[in-house]
């Protein structure tokens, strides 16, 4: 019998698997949280490997699988992959833009047992939404897709990423969710890593706008009790304490990239010198318990002050490692979004300064474009 390593025994089972089936996507959102270097189609895992990964996830104790991307319905085998989730008893959530071939595949996805749909909406006004997503005629496709989801009886969540280009539409997003028959709405202020870090000045709202958006959500929650659940993600730069990013590093989630690299969070590849393991070389259980990337910031041993002696250290787990790297130049630092970080005042000042200036144009992303890493080019705080 194999000996159980102390690390494996200490790691709680993951509850969720984010399966990034492809980075291909018809949209070009300026806040995309995918890495700066996107995986090409030729490097994507094949169907059998994804099915094996899902089986291992189920054995490991995973309950939810988020079928994501890019646009997951761009995969020819999305129906087979979804069916595998259903056979394994994994709750499947399709995270989709609702454009491209999404509508055509929806009935088949429903037939094989898809459990839930999360649809991204970039704006309420079609012209504004299509400018943000960088795709003409996207809005009517999204509306038709949402209509069909609800007609099939599938639970629908709308996901709206909020920034200075659509923060005036928060009330509109709520009305839209009600009109569409969504069960849940995510009002998620942009988190500034991945491509959003490149576009930070174009996306950063001011404090008054953020406060107003929070008031609107709180009033709507009261008004729509029992009808619509509204999740609110407050922008880090204006928060008092950071969020427990990814539910705490290596505690709840595994993120498998299109080519099979397993990450503790979406943006982990921005952290230099982390060693990531691939599903093609290791089982998911091995990766979860022993991969250097997962053990690097799991728990609290790696923490510096003020986190090390803070009584919130097992609540937010020190915030976001990727943001700490981006802003403080050290992934093990206290997330500067935290008011207890020595860098917090500078972060707040930066947000205020960027929100006060006229927004620059969005920098849109495309697969294979020559990407300049802002983390290499920009001075830290
Ligand atoms: Fe969280 Fe660290 Fe801030 Fe304490 S000091 S609230 S643990 S980020
Ligand atoms: Fe990586 Fe927050 S995005 S820890």
């Amino acid at each position: 019998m194999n000996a159980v390593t102390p690390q494996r025994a200490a790691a709680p089972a993951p509850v969720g698997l984010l399966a990034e089936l492809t980075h291909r996507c018809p949209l070009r959102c300026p806040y995309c949280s995918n890495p700066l270097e996107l995986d090409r189609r030729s490097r994507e895992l094949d169907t059998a490997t994804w099915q094996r990964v899902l089986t291992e996830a189920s054995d490991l104790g995973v309950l939810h699988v988020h079928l994501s991307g890019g646009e997951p319905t761009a995969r020819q085998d999305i129906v087979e992959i979804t069916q595998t989730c259903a056979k394994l008893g994994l709750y499947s959530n399709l995270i989709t833009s609702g454009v491209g071939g999404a509508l055509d595949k929806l009935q088949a996805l429903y037939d094989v047992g898809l459990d839930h749909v999360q649809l991204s909406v970039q704006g309420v006004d079609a012209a504004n939404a299509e400018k943000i997503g960088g795709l003409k005629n996207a809005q009517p496709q999204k509306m038709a897709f949402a209509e069909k989801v609800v007609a099939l009886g599938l639970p629908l969540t709308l996901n709206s990423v909020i920034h200075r280009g659509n923060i005036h539409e928060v009330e509109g997003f709520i009305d839209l969710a009600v009109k569409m028959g969504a069960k849940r709405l995510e009002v998620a202020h942009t988190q500034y890593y991945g491509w959003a870090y490149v576009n930070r000045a174009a996306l950063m709202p001011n404090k008054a706008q953020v406060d107003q958006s929070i008031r609107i959500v709180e009033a709507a929650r009261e008004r729509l009790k029992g009808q619509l659940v509204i999740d609110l993600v407050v922008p880090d730069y204006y928060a008092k304490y950071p969020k427990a990013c990814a539910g705490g590093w290596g505690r709840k989630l595994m993120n498998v990239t299109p080519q099979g690299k397993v990450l503790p969070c979406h943006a982990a590849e921005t952290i230099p010198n982390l060693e990531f393991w691939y599903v093609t070389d290791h089982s998911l259980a091995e990766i979860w318990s022993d991969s250097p990337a997962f053990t690097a910031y799991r728990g609290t041993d790696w923490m510096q002050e003020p986190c090390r002696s803070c009584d919130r250290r097992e609540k937010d787990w020190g915030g976001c490692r990727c943001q700490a790297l981006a802003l403080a130049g050290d992934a093990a630092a206290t997330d500067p979004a935290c008011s207890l970080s020595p860098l917090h005042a500078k972060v707040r000042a930066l947000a205020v300064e960027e929100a006060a200036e006229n927004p620059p144009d969005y920098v849109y992303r495309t697969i294979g474009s020559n990407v300049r890493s802002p983390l290499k080019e920009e001075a830290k705080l």
Side-chain angles (χ1 to χ4, degrees):
M1 199 172 86
N2 288 338
V4 176
T5 66
Q7 274 171 339
R8 182 172 299 189
V15 290
L17 181 88
L18 184 71
E20 287 181 359
L21 300 176
T22 178
H23 279 157
R24 288 173 280 143
C25 184
L27 297 184
R28 299 181 293 148
C29 305
Y31 50 74
C32 181
S33 59
N34 280 338
L36 298 175
E37 299 286 350
L38 299 174
D39 291 351
R40 290 172 178 278
R41 181 182 195 154
S42 55
R43 302 198 62 189
E44 291 174 4
L45 297 178
D46 61 18
T47 315
T49 307
W50 273 116
Q51 289 173 322
R52 195 244 309 149
V53 168
L54 292 168
T55 306
E56 290 177 0
S58 170
D59 292 344
L60 191 53
V62 165
L63 302 173
H64 302 118
V65 173
H66 306 281
L67 301 166
S68 176
E71 172 50 51
T73 60
R75 291 268 310 207
Q76 291 304 323
D77 55 2
I78 183 65
V79 175
E80 280 170 87
I81 289 173
T82 305
Q83 186 170 34
T84 302
C85 291
K87 283 184 178 159
L88 291 166
L90 293 164
Y91 186 90
S92 56
N93 174 28
L94 183 75
I95 300 181
T96 179
S97 62
V99 300
L103 182 57
D104 293 344
K105 292 181 175 136
L106 187 55
Q107 180 71 50
L109 290 167
Y110 173 78
D111 290 343
V112 296
L114 177 68
D115 290 302
H116 182 272
V117 175
Q118 179 180 316
L119 173 67
S120 68
V121 274
Q122 283 64 37
V124 178
D125 171 72
N128 191 38
E130 290 170 11
K131 179 183 172 208
I132 294 165
L135 182 72
K136 284 209 167 69
N137 201 32
Q139 198 76 343
Q141 292 182 63
K142 283 172 181 280
M143 298 304 116
F145 181 85
E147 210 171 288
K148 172 104 180 176
V149 171
V150 174
L152 286 169
L154 276 169
L156 173 69
T157 293
L158 288 191
N159 170 268
S160 57
V161 175
I162 303 297
H163 48 84
R164 73 196 288 184
N166 64 8
I167 197 164
H168 60 285
E169 295 189 313
V170 169
E171 191 85 65
F173 280 118
I174 295 165
D175 293 344
L176 187 66
V178 171
K179 191 173 134 209
M180 282 176 162
K183 298 263 184 263
R184 183 177 288 267
L185 170 68
E186 293 177 352
V187 177
H189 282 268
T190 305
Q191 305 296 304
Y192 294 96
Y193 33 72
W195 201 252
Y197 195 84
V198 178
N199 279 298
R200 189 177 61 195
L203 298 170
M204 185 68 72
N206 66 38
K207 177 82 164 59
Q209 290 173 313
V210 170
D211 291 346
Q212 171 70 356
S213 72
I214 294 170
R215 280 194 292 274
I216 290 170
V217 167
E218 283 170 353
R221 276 176 170 162
E222 269 307 300
R223 194 172 71 241
L224 298 169
K225 239 181 218 164
Q227 185 181 0
L228 180 72
V229 175
I230 308 178
D231 293 329
L232 176 66
V233 179
V234 176
D236 269 350
Y237 286 31
Y238 293 120
K240 187 170 181 197
Y241 299 119
K243 65 189 180 310
C245 198
W249 187 277
R251 299 193 68 76
K252 297 199 164 157
L253 293 175
M254 301 185 91
N255 184 347
V256 183
T257 70
Q259 57 174 303
K261 199 187 282 187
V262 189
L263 315 176
C265 73
H266 240 77
E269 287 171 283
T270 59
I271 301 177
N273 307 321
L274 270 189
E275 182 187 330
F276 302 104
W277 288 0
Y278 286 77
V279 295
T280 40
D281 302 325
H282 297 274
S283 73
L284 223 46
E286 282 171 343
I287 296 171
W288 177 251
S289 62
D290 298 334
S291 146
F294 275 84
T295 55
Y297 303 111
R298 180 177 274 147
T300 56
D301 288 351
W302 56 272
M303 287 180 175
Q304 306 169 1
E305 292 296 347
C307 290
R308 179 175 281 274
S309 56
C310 178
D311 61 7
R312 289 181 56 85
R313 66 185 178 278
E314 293 194 358
K315 288 197 179 87
D316 61 37
W317 305 98
C320 176
R321 295 309 87 228
C322 304
Q323 188 153 269
L325 174 80
L327 295 173
D330 178 3
T334 293
D335 183 345
C338 176
S339 55
L340 302 174
S341 160
L343 291 173
H344 183 72
K346 283 188 183 169
V347 168
R348 185 64 85 87
L350 184 79
V352 169
E353 189 187 314
E354 288 185 342
E357 288 168 6
N358 283 333
D361 290 340
Y362 298 137
V363 182
Y364 291 108
R365 70 180 318 169
T366 46
I367 217 159
S369 63
N370 193 11
V371 174
R372 183 173 63 94
S373 168
L375 302 182
K376 289 189 192 125
E377 305 283 335
E378 275 189 19
K380 311 290 182 258
L381 288 169

